[in-house]
Amino acid sequence: RRSPRPKIISQTPATTIDCIMADETMQTLTLLSCPSTGATAKASSILNKNKALYGPQNALDIHDTCSCWNSDGDQAGATTTAKKKPKQLIINFHRPVNLDGPDAYVKIVFQGGFVGLACSTSVSCDDGQSYQSLDSIVYDDDSDHHRVIEAEDCNDAQTFLFQKSRVDSVSRRGCTHVKFAFQGSTDFYGRITIYRLEIWGHEVAN
């Protein structure tokens, strides 16, 4: 069962929000992925290799709603999932941040018809040297089935909590990177388009 979404009650300024949690406590979240904080993005592919128009950094731009990251399609002949390489989008905060607790979340605006599917979400706490999965998928008896991101094919902003599944020992404190690996797309040719990606959480206290 998914945790309740935070209820946003104010947004001043645009890079911080105050929200009321399920237990009625107040939390202030920070837009950790904002480029003004030094965050950057890289991707496994860019449509036509046109970084200016379709580069992954565009997805972090909170001021230009028309800019986007657009991946390349699947390679010719890649007709099965085994042959298709996942489309990866990696956010580098260039500092340790905290994504723990019930309030940290990612908000994504896809283009309908070009939505990433079967996304694997993982974090790195050692400057991108290694990653730990936040997903808990059990196919045998379906005792635990959880993906951080299970997107719908639409143009609306979609919010996904970095919540803990029932069995979870992955640390979300001191994260330096978040990696999203999309195994598929609603597009026939495998392209993915993201207009906005925001990661909200907490700065590490000095």
Side-chain angles (χ1 to χ4, degrees):
R1 180 177 298 179
R2 297 195 175 196
S3 302
R5 295 286 190 266
K7 179 182 179 182
I8 298 173
I9 62 173
S10 68
Q11 186 165 338
T12 308
T15 56
T16 62
I17 58 175
D18 294 326
C19 57
I20 298 177
M21 306 309 296
D23 59 1
E24 301 301 321
T25 59
M26 181 78 72
Q27 293 284 347
T28 298
L29 299 178
T30 300
L31 179 56
L32 303 172
S33 58
C34 185
S36 65
T37 66
T40 58
K42 68 177 183 179
S44 56
S45 71
I46 300 172
L47 183 64
N48 298 330
K49 298 183 179 180
N50 191 329
K51 187 176 181 180
L53 284 179
Y54 306 120
Q57 194 70 15
N58 293 340
L60 304 185
D61 191 338
I62 63 175
H63 301 292
D64 187 354
T65 58
C66 295
S67 65
C68 67
W69 167 56
N70 202 328
S71 77
D72 261 335
D74 295 323
Q75 295 181 353
T79 57
T80 64
T81 303
K83 293 182 179 180
K84 296 178 182 178
K85 294 183 178 180
K87 309 295 192 306
Q88 294 188 359
L89 182 62
I90 299 176
I91 310 303
N92 184 350
F93 301 109
H94 293 281
R95 66 198 190 281
V97 301
N98 291 337
L99 299 175
D100 60 331
D103 51 351
Y105 67 91
V106 55
K107 181 167 71 174
I108 305 179
V109 179
F110 291 97
Q111 179 177 336
F114 298 86
V115 173
L117 300 176
C119 179
S120 299
T121 307
S122 55
V123 296
S124 173
C125 296
D126 57 3
D127 204 25
Q129 297 300 308
S130 62
Y131 286 85
Q132 290 183 292
S133 176
L134 298 183
D135 302 314
S136 178
I137 310 296
V138 177
Y139 294 106
D140 294 335
D141 55 7
D142 200 31
S143 59
D144 191 3
H145 185 284
H146 164 74
R147 288 188 188 275
V148 172
I149 294 177
E150 294 180 333
E152 298 179 1
D153 189 2
C154 66
N155 298 313
D156 300 330
Q158 302 183 58
T159 301
F160 310 97
L161 295 171
F162 288 107
Q163 61 187 4
K164 293 184 177 180
S165 57
R166 291 194 294 109
V167 180
D168 189 349
S169 60
V170 178
S171 174
R172 291 163 174 76
R173 298 186 65 83
C175 300
T176 57
H177 296 67
V178 177
K179 178 166 64 177
F180 306 98
F182 300 96
Q183 307 298 323
S185 169
T186 57
D187 173 50
F188 177 79
Y189 297 101
R191 296 164 295 183
I192 297 172
T193 302
I194 294 179
Y195 280 95
R196 179 74 63 83
L197 188 145
E198 300 177 1
I199 297 177
W200 292 84
H202 302 275
E203 296 284 2
V204 173
N206 294 325

